[in-house]
Amino acid sequence: MCRNIKTLFNFEPPATDDEVHDAALQFVRKLSGSTKPSKRNEHAFHHAVEAIAAAARELIDSLETTQEPRNREEEAAKAKARSALRFA
């Protein structure tokens, strides 16, 4: 499940709030061991997602680098090439 969490820092255009939320959701799913919480745990699950998304956004916004921003399309192509080699 955590394999789906992508690097969000230093991209042009910057990571969207939806991307940060999706990464937080994947993280909470991994920690909790479930993709959909029970009714009893629904509030705690969603609260954790929102708290982690806020912390992740704060982290991404506060990080600094001297590197040039990465291109999303180029990184996606590299990942696809690695996947093709891995599963060929």
Side-chain angles (χ1 to χ4, degrees):
M1 231 185 293
C2 279
R3 254 182 264 195
N4 297 330
I5 297 175
K6 306 295 183 212
T7 301
L8 299 177
F9 174 62
N10 197 29
F11 277 100
E12 191 58 47
T16 65
D17 288 338
D18 287 339
E19 290 173 313
V20 173
H21 181 271
D22 290 346
L25 178 60
Q26 285 294 103
F27 184 71
V28 171
R29 284 177 173 171
K30 183 66 172 185
L31 288 178
S32 68
S34 66
T35 56
K36 185 175 183 207
S38 65
K39 286 285 187 190
R40 185 176 198 163
N41 294 320
E42 199 169 64
H43 175 73
F45 188 90
H46 293 298
H47 176 71
V49 171
E50 295 307 316
I52 291 169
R57 171 54 67 193
E58 182 180 341
L59 172 66
I60 291 168
D61 291 345
S62 66
L63 291 173
E64 298 177 8
T65 184
T66 58
Q67 298 290 321
E68 289 293 317
R70 293 177 281 184
N71 181 292
R72 290 179 184 278
E73 289 78 24
E74 289 174 11
E75 294 298 319
K78 289 178 192 176
K80 192 171 186 175
R82 285 190 303 267
S83 179
L85 286 175
R86 181 176 177 197
F87 296 109

